[in-house]
Amino acid sequence: LKIACYTALGAIRMQMQGFVAAPVKDAFANVARLAKDQDGYSAANGPAFYGSFTHAIISADKLAAEEFSRMLNDTAVTDPAGDPNKELRLASLNVETSLHFYTGAFDKASAAFHALRADYDIAQHGTMISSYGADTYAAAQMFEGTTRAICGDTHLVAELIAETDAHQERLNIPVMQPWAQIWGAVALYYAGQIDAAIARVQR
């Protein structure tokens, strides 16, 4: 419960004071400290580790991002009984995709995403949004088009963007759809389709 409270506190401070403010870092540092004091991790830690990772990666704290990624993966691996729907595994693969993407390990990012896609089922896992604050598949899916464009597989970009748009339509969460437009535009830009990228940003 303390871990959940500090996660919420960090999220609130992040909105009020910005990603790199000291009180924000303090809240997420407490998440890590409390987690390390436990005898073991449980499925209840999943959303906290996921949220803490998100803060770390966006605020460019690579060491903290790697730490929370490892903690989430350890939780998924060591507590399968507490993860019957593979939610921890999905969250861990999402985090792994993001970590590799933002640190430029694009082939590893794609590998993690494809493992995530193999286990994800929107009917079963779409409800993770309520506890994790994001659809763990969609968040990773948005990176794949850009990843493939950067790696030179520009012929795959249009299909990947179409898949992302279709998934967003099924989720039907208006606040998420602009992010899908933006990330699709990034992929199109890297693929040299400047006009299409601009049109997407304007939408």
Side-chain angles (χ1 to χ4, degrees), residues 134-175:
D135 178 72
T136 53
Y137 177 72
Q141 184 186 38
M142 290 183 199
F143 295 141
E144 182 62 7
T146 302
T147 296
R148 297 280 39 98
I150 290 172
C151 292
D153 298 325
T154 55
H155 61 287
L156 300 175
V157 168
E159 183 179 348
L160 289 167
I161 291 175
E163 286 180 9
T164 298
D165 290 344
H167 185 69
Q168 288 297 320
E169 189 173 334
R170 289 190 68 189
L171 286 176
N172 193 28
I173 303 173
V175 74

Side-chain angles (χ1 to χ4, degrees), residues 37 51 61 79 89 106 111 117 126 129 136 144 150 154 166 181-182 195:
D37 288 343
D61 188 343
D79 190 24
R89 172 175 163 77
F106 298 115
R117 180 157 61 181
I129 296 168
T136 53
E144 182 62 7
I150 290 172
T154 55
Q181 293 289 337
I182 291 166
D195 290 341

Side-chain angles (χ1 to χ4, degrees), residues 93 96-115 143-144 146-153 156:
L93 287 169
E96 191 177 334
T97 301
S98 300
L99 180 62
H100 291 317
F101 178 82
Y102 280 120
T103 55
F106 298 115
D107 287 341
K108 290 181 179 179
S110 277
F113 170 69
H114 284 287
F143 295 141
E144 182 62 7
T146 302
T147 296
R148 297 280 39 98
I150 290 172
C151 292
D153 298 325
L156 300 175

Side-chain angles (χ1 to χ4, degrees), residues 119-144:
D119 282 343
Y120 178 86
D121 176 5
I122 191 171
Q124 183 178 9
H125 300 120
T127 55
M128 289 176 67
I129 296 168
S130 62
S131 54
Y132 283 82
D135 178 72
T136 53
Y137 177 72
Q141 184 186 38
M142 290 183 199
F143 295 141
E144 182 62 7

Side-chain angles (χ1 to χ4, degrees), residues 1-202:
L1 185 57
K2 282 185 179 180
I3 286 174
C5 287
Y6 275 112
T7 303
L9 183 62
I12 292 166
R13 288 176 175 174
M14 191 162 56
Q15 298 301 321
M16 297 174 65
Q17 300 178 36
F19 285 103
V20 297
V24 178
K25 290 188 174 185
D26 289 345
F28 288 115
N30 277 320
V31 173
R33 177 182 58 79
L34 289 165
K36 288 173 183 175
D37 288 343
Q38 296 178 131
D39 292 333
Y41 305 136
S42 75
N45 294 144
F49 294 164
Y50 184 87
S52 298
F53 168 85
T54 300
H55 165 260
I57 201 73
I58 291 174
S59 59
D61 188 343
K62 184 172 180 285
L63 290 177
E66 289 172 340
E67 179 180 37
F68 283 114
S69 177
R70 186 185 69 254
M71 292 164 74
L72 186 53
N73 181 67
D74 289 348
T75 306
V77 170
T78 59
D79 190 24
D83 191 27
N85 295 323
K86 297 185 178 180
E87 290 189 1
L88 287 169
R89 172 175 163 77
L90 293 177
S92 178
L93 287 169
N94 169 273
V95 160
E96 191 177 334
T97 301
S98 300
L99 180 62
H100 291 317
F101 178 82
Y102 280 120
T103 55
F106 298 115
D107 287 341
K108 290 181 179 179
S110 277
F113 170 69
H114 284 287
L116 169 60
R117 180 157 61 181
D119 282 343
Y120 178 86
D121 176 5
I122 191 171
Q124 183 178 9
H125 300 120
T127 55
M128 289 176 67
I129 296 168
S130 62
S131 54
Y132 283 82
D135 178 72
T136 53
Y137 177 72
Q141 184 186 38
M142 290 183 199
F143 295 141
E144 182 62 7
T146 302
T147 296
R148 297 280 39 98
I150 290 172
C151 292
D153 298 325
T154 55
H155 61 287
L156 300 175
V157 168
E159 183 179 348
L160 289 167
I161 291 175
E163 286 180 9
T164 298
D165 290 344
H167 185 69
Q168 288 297 320
E169 189 173 334
R170 289 190 68 189
L171 286 176
N172 193 28
I173 303 173
V175 74
M176 282 295 295
Q177 290 168 357
W179 291 103
Q181 293 289 337
I182 291 166
W183 276 109
V186 173
L188 290 168
Y189 180 84
Y190 274 113
Q193 300 179 42
I194 309 301
D195 290 341
I198 292 172
R200 200 168 173 92
V201 171
Q202 288 174 334

